[in-house]
Amino acid sequence: VLQVGLPRGLRQEVTGALFRRLVTTDEAAFAEELYLDTAQLRLMRTLGMHVGGHGDTHEWMGTLSEGEIHLEAEAMIQFLEAIGVDSGDGWSIAYPYGDFTTEVQTILKQHGCRIGLTTQSAVANLISDDFMALPRIDTVFLNSPTSPSRSWRATLGYS
């Protein structure tokens, strides 16, 4: 309900009140401790790391209107370029909540997106998989003994 069940404005109001009540009243300080800032992202880019988009508003992409998807893409490109990503060479997205539709993929492609990462946990097959719907290995599972990523770790020689 707090992700897609309520209208956006009410959802933001309720989650904001819950955050202030249960976490902190200083959302900016909390975010500063938890998330990378643009200087850190620029440094990562300078050191050769890949940085992609994850939405501007972190909405479920499949629930957005065509116009909202365009706005999300434009905002992601603007942010990525601000940290040194050359969007003219293409860019990637890890879909928020893993949610996308063919319309989302089409619009993102129109904006130069070349790779879309889902929340499906698997090793991507770069020969047969759709590049706009690639599975990924979630870092949450990397050291778990029951990890679905165990097979890829063994294949690459990691224990």
Side-chain angles (χ1 to χ4, degrees):
V1 169
L2 293 176
Q3 290 184 7
V4 293
L6 296 172
R8 185 176 303 151
L10 180 57
R11 206 170 57 231
Q12 290 170 336
E13 187 179 319
V14 170
T15 56
L18 288 170
F19 189 87
R20 287 186 297 277
R21 180 175 176 196
L22 300 173
V23 182
T24 180
T25 57
D26 192 347
E27 186 175 348
F30 181 83
E32 188 176 311
E33 284 292 317
L34 187 61
Y35 299 112
L36 296 169
D37 62 29
T38 54
Q40 292 167 321
L41 288 168
R42 278 189 208 103
L43 176 61
M44 290 173 68
R45 286 287 306 136
T46 300
L47 296 173
M49 299 290 293
H50 174 85
V51 178
H54 190 57
D56 182 50
T57 60
H58 204 262
E59 293 287 333
W60 290 64
M61 297 290 284
T63 67
L64 302 177
S65 70
E66 181 180 339
E68 290 171 320
I69 299 166
H70 282 286
L71 291 173
E72 286 287 311
E74 291 162 7
M76 281 186 280
I77 290 168
Q78 184 177 20
F79 179 77
L80 291 170
E81 289 178 345
I83 60 165
V85 174
D86 181 358
S87 66
D89 288 339
W91 53 281
S92 66
I93 182 171
Y95 300 109
Y97 310 103
D99 185 58
F100 64 94
T101 63
T102 54
E103 179 183 33
V104 168
Q105 292 175 312
T106 299
I107 292 170
L108 293 178
K109 283 183 199 178
Q110 291 169 359
H111 287 274
C113 185
R114 293 191 182 167
I115 297 174
L117 298 165
T118 69
T119 53
Q120 178 190 359
S121 185
V123 176
N125 182 332
L126 299 181
I127 295 171
S128 63
D129 285 349
D130 175 358
F131 274 42
M132 289 301 291
L134 292 174
R136 63 191 173 105
I137 303 299
D138 193 320
T139 57
V140 170
F141 299 112
L142 287 180
N143 291 317
S144 167
T146 59
S147 167
S149 65
R150 282 300 225 201
S151 61
W152 79 263
R153 290 175 62 79
T155 300
L156 296 176
Y158 297 102
S159 55

